[in-house]
Amino acid sequence: MALRVIRVVIPSGTAALSSVNIVQKARVHTSPIRSLRYGWWAYALGERTTPRLTRLSKIFSVEGNLASGKGALAQKLADKLGMLYMPEADTFYMDKMTGEKQALPVDFNGMCSLEKFYTDPKAADGNSYRLQHWMYIMRLLQYADAIEHMLTTGQGVILERSPFSDVVFLEAMSKQGYIRKACVDHYNEIKHISICEFLPPHLVIYVDQPAEEVQKKLKQSSKPYLHNVPLEYLKSIEDSYKKTYLPSVSDSSELLAYDITQAQDIEKVAEDIEYLSFEKGPWLEQDDVTYHHMRMLVEDKNRVAALTHIPKFLPEITIGAHDFDEKYYAYRSLPGKKYTPGYNADIGDKNVLFK
């Protein structure tokens, strides 16, 4: 279901990346019209990736529990190092990719709700796994955007979380009984056939804050649905980070860990990064040929999304043919969605017949 909806609305290549709401410190050349895309002809005519790469042409992922301060660290670090900061993907990341002025209904964004998850995590309609499944796809698409940006411009990217670390939420949901074993099996299957196409972050930075402190901060949040997040769920996320994700990612990525106080010292974190050798992981094996194939993959977001699709019935995420047909035409009836962008007179596009 999610893939089919994605295929209806998702843009391709740099057009998608240019629409994403990202915070960029070091500017690169852009223009309103970006119709030319990188492809086989560009490579054949001499376009190469390695000449534009520098020591900081890297993908950094800042990890941590909810409200752990990872966002502030990621943004300040990006400003300090001249890298691109991409805020954590949310359920409406697709709308940002397509340049929507305001978020579309959840029917076109995974049919899931983060607020409902925190207020009713065991909802009978399967919202919890639908949310987890959709968020993995959004993180994968954002990661493709990050790699595309790095390979295209040479500028490094700092993300909040990545599709590699998304599993910590799956494990926490499963441990708390929010999702069924069949959902866990489905998630592991789609992740197995999709994450293998991507390389892990060059550096993972973990912000360690005890679950009890995280819960106190959530109770002070301006979002009421975060006030009652169970401590057991937060502890499960923390345990999954420390026992599953961090030990596994340290084999292929550099790893730095800080408590919340240390993470506020941006100068110290930047200095620690300066001392890293970045001498492990699959990125060392890449050359212009592999970068070419990588770039061809990440600019094709339909192809990226297709990696997460398997023909398996699962009630939590399966939608019937009639319901899908209804939602498809409901989407096409929205202002500016009937035709290709630039050809919709209902939103003021001019000279449609002469383009």
Side-chain angles (χ1 to χ4, degrees):
M1 179 276 294
L3 173 63
R4 293 180 182 134
V5 175
I6 285 173
R7 282 178 171 165
V8 171
V9 303
I10 196 169
S12 297
T14 53
L17 182 59
S18 63
S19 300
V20 178
N21 181 25
I22 51 183
V23 180
Q24 180 174 325
K25 199 67 176 178
R27 298 290 180 179
V28 295
H29 176 73
T30 58
S31 65
I33 300 176
R34 303 176 69 180
S35 56
L36 295 178
R37 296 176 58 194
Y38 175 82
W40 288 101
W41 274 110
Y43 182 78
L45 293 173
E47 167 71 9
R48 296 293 183 267
T49 299
T50 53
R52 69 172 63 92
L53 300 183
T54 67
R55 187 179 185 279
L56 285 179
S57 296
K58 301 285 191 295
I59 304 294
F60 294 172
S61 174
V62 181
E63 304 287 342
N65 213 324
L66 279 63
S68 60
K70 63 188 180 303
L73 171 61
Q75 185 164 12
K76 291 177 181 177
L77 194 59
D79 292 346
K80 174 70 177 177
L81 301 178
M83 299 175 72
L84 180 71
Y85 165 61
M86 296 181 72
E88 183 174 7
D90 58 17
T91 55
F92 297 101
Y93 184 73
M94 186 79 69
D95 291 342
K96 298 170 185 176
M97 294 179 70
T98 54
E100 301 295 339
K101 294 181 179 179
Q102 59 183 15
L104 297 180
V106 295
D107 277 358
F108 312 121
N109 283 286
M111 301 175 62
C112 56
S113 167
L114 184 64
E115 180 175 349
K116 182 175 181 178
F117 167 70
Y118 284 121
T119 55
D120 185 13
K122 295 184 179 180
D125 66 351
N127 176 75
S128 292
Y129 183 62
R130 208 157 46 246
L131 172 69
Q132 180 62 27
H133 178 249
W134 183 252
M135 284 305 304
Y136 175 73
I137 299 174
M138 295 303 101
R139 294 192 205 280
L140 200 67
L141 289 170
Q142 185 187 51
Y143 200 72
D145 282 339
I147 293 177
E148 181 181 0
H149 179 84
M150 185 192 73
L151 297 182
T152 303
T153 68
Q155 184 186 28
V157 180
I158 299 183
L159 298 161
E160 292 180 54
R161 299 201 178 101
S162 76
F164 290 86
S165 63
D166 183 73
V167 68
V168 301
F169 294 100
L170 177 88
E171 292 187 355
M173 287 183 183
S174 177
K175 188 177 294 185
Q176 298 304 312
Y178 298 163
I179 57 178
R180 301 182 299 129
K181 183 181 183 301
C183 296
V184 176
D185 294 340
H186 176 267
Y187 177 94
N188 288 332
E189 187 172 359
I190 64 168
K191 185 169 184 177
H192 176 73
I193 62 175
S194 57
I195 205 69
C196 59
E197 298 293 332
F198 295 86
L199 303 186
H202 294 82
L203 168 65
V204 172
I205 303 174
Y206 178 65
V207 181
D208 185 14
Q209 187 170 35
E212 292 80 3
E213 296 300 317
V214 169
Q215 188 181 52
K216 290 179 182 178
K217 291 175 69 175
L218 290 176
K219 289 182 179 297
Q220 299 171 0
S221 171
S222 59
K223 300 174 181 178
Y225 60 85
L226 293 176
H227 294 175
N228 297 310
V229 178
L231 179 61
E232 293 76 15
Y233 175 67
L234 297 174
K235 285 185 175 180
S236 294
I237 295 174
E238 182 179 350
D239 289 343
S240 185
Y241 263 122
K242 294 180 177 180
K243 296 178 181 179
T244 303
Y245 177 65
L246 296 180
S248 64
V249 78
S250 63
D251 293 334
S252 57
S253 304
E254 300 287 356
L255 176 61
L256 295 175
Y258 303 96
D259 62 32
I260 187 62
T261 302
Q262 295 169 329
Q264 294 173 357
D265 188 348
I266 302 301
E267 296 292 336
K268 178 63 168 61
V269 176
E271 182 180 354
D272 290 343
I273 293 173
E274 183 67 27
Y275 282 111
L276 293 175
S277 59
F278 294 106
E279 292 182 350
K280 61 172 156 178
W283 285 100
L284 296 176
E285 304 168 5
Q286 308 310 305
D287 55 25
D288 280 314
V289 175
T290 58
Y291 282 138
H292 162 69
H293 290 287
M294 192 185 304
R295 195 168 168 185
M296 292 289 290
L297 168 64
V298 297
E299 76 168 12
D300 187 348
K301 300 306 185 295
N302 282 319
R303 183 180 166 194
V304 172
L307 296 172
T308 66
H309 178 63
I310 54 176
K312 178 174 289 188
F313 173 76
L314 197 67
E316 286 84 350
I317 61 172
T318 302
I319 182 173
H322 293 294
D323 286 341
F324 175 79
D325 192 63
E326 180 182 335
K327 293 183 189 305
Y328 173 84
Y329 286 104
Y331 175 80
R332 286 302 186 193
S333 67
L334 296 175
K337 302 302 180 185
K338 189 173 184 180
Y339 304 111
T340 300
Y343 293 83
N344 293 281
D346 61 333
I347 59 172
D349 291 341
K350 305 295 184 182
N351 302 316
V352 172
L353 296 177
F354 301 99
K355 290 184 177 179

